Amino acid sequence: MIQSVDRAVAVLLELQGARRLRLTELANRLSLPNSTVHGIVATLVTRGMVEQDASGRYALGPGVLRLSNVYLDSNELRLRALTWTEALAERSGCAVRVGVPLERDIVVIHHVLRPDGSHQMREIGIDIPAHGTALGKAVLAFDTRRATELLATAPLPKLTGRTCVDGDELAEQLAGVRDDGIATAFDEAILGESELAAPIFDAHDAVVGAVGVVLSSSEATGDRMIGDEVRRTAVSISRELGASAWPPRSRPPKAPGD
Amino acid sequence: MIQSVDRAVAVLLELQGARRLRLTELANRLSLPNSTVHGIVATLVTRGMVEQDASGRYALGPGVLRLSNVYLDSNELRLRALTWTEALAERSGCAVRVGVPLERDIVVIHHVLRPDGSHQMREIGIDIPAHGTALGKAVLAFDTRRATELLATAPLPKLTGRTCVDGDELAEQLAGVRDDGIATAFDEAILGESELAAPIFDAHDAVVGAVGVVLSSSEATGDRMIGDEVRRTAVSISRELGASAWPPRSRPPKAPGD
């Protein structure tokens, strides 16, 4: 761990959260001297990762956009998911999202809009606390380390009145995901939106993300057909990534005695 | 300038260019010892800015995607451009792009698809060498420092057989942009694609980006109407950003004697 590199990332993450900050505000949030933060910010400005606006406040710069474009273009999970998610959206009539875990969140890396032509925002790049979305539960069910760390901090933050924030209840839900391969969330991140999602595994049989549909909660009548479609999509993408079985037979991949 | 922070950005940029690299490849490209690069990469992996794939190679991670989403959402130029570019696409029947300069490139930060419903790729986040695109020429015409630096390295790289790579010729084109506010490029970045673009200025009367249309070169018959529409769009966005005139009366903003 190189301290100044870690601090540079911390600067970027503060700007991600606050959008625009003066030098002193940045320094206060990071509990660092102005001069230290100034050196970091000046370096990041030179590289276009940060820019200074007309009022002198710092914000993220166009350099981060260029990086993200390459991330999306070269992410294997996303590439493998493209055709399968398109087909899932058509068959289910729902919006489809693919997400990957990042710390305690799920970041949406692919989004196929609901095929009804209604006005919708593209959600690529948004992050959602993992425990509040079916995509996150699908990942947590098969990522023991991540789930243990998260459950250790329960009660978790509430996103809506219906977010499951109780550790025991969430652990039980995750066991259910391991049983039938489908994670659900009803009104847990956004009121009126429900989700079904299934985990995606790679050639090492490790969970690398999840694919799921979003439907309005009034439509979410426990339709088994859609669950089957979501599961089949996750199986197809996992197979393309080299997974040997779905879900993998041994969990964790290198359990004692394997 | 903090050396390790600058090196961390250099690591990200190498991965942006190469997409996937082993530690030794990264270290060779940066002319640094493996151990130095390993420390930087390990820090970036912890923060999700870089990830290691199944074969052990490094690639950009989902952290960069989260940053870019906030960049796009909070970029004032882009926010101000949203409705004006939508209207320009409708009136012109063309795809519309907004770009900002980054080093020697233009990064596309907004893209309204051609309204004919044809299959098109969203180009947000792509970068194009500034001299090969009308967006870039519109910026260079009013950014003396950037133009001088770029022209000093002519001949510039050819993107197609028709890219203007000669310094004198490019300087003459830039003078033309200052005269009528419209930059053009015919087949210069992509064969078959032509562009018209106009610069955008902020409250300091500094050029901050450009807006332009893309049309197929067979349609680009020197249609003055479209040029007028592009110019009007640039004026409207500049006005919203607080520009006092279009183009600004004094260039550079703080010329001697002002």
Side-chain angles (χ1 to χ4, degrees), chain A residues 47 70, chain B residues 6-7 9-34 36-38 40-41 57-58:
Chain A
R47 295 290 204 158
V70 169
Chain B
D6 194 58
R7 285 175 174 171
V9 179
V11 164
L12 294 173
L13 296 178
E14 283 299 335
L15 294 175
Q16 177 184 300
R19 308 205 154 195
R20 289 175 191 283
L21 291 173
R22 293 189 186 283
L23 181 64
T24 316
E25 291 167 336
L26 250 179
N28 286 345
R29 282 161 181 256
L30 298 167
S31 306
L32 290 171
N34 278 8
T36 305
V37 176
H38 184 262
I40 293 170
V41 171
R57 291 173 304 175
Y58 294 100

Side-chain angles (χ1 to χ4, degrees), chain B residues 143-190:
Chain B
D143 185 336
T144 315
R145 188 191 53 74
R146 199 180 293 273
T148 309
E149 279 177 24
L150 197 75
L151 291 172
T153 61
L156 295 155
K158 259 192 182 313
L159 309 177
T160 71
R162 300 197 56 184
T163 316
C164 171
V165 299
D166 176 75
D168 291 340
E169 197 185 322
L170 188 57
E172 204 171 297
Q173 287 189 17
L174 299 184
V177 179
R178 284 190 289 272
D179 283 342
D180 70 0
I182 290 289
T184 55
F186 299 106
D187 296 335
E188 291 186 49
I190 290 175

Side-chain angles (χ1 to χ4, degrees), chain A residues 137-138 141-142 171-183 197-199 201 231 246-248 251:
Chain A
K137 294 181 200 177
F142 295 91
E172 203 172 297
Q173 288 189 16
L174 299 184
V177 179
R178 284 190 290 272
D179 282 341
D180 70 0
I182 290 290
F201 304 94
R231 204 186 280 110
W246 195 98
R251 289 187 311 268

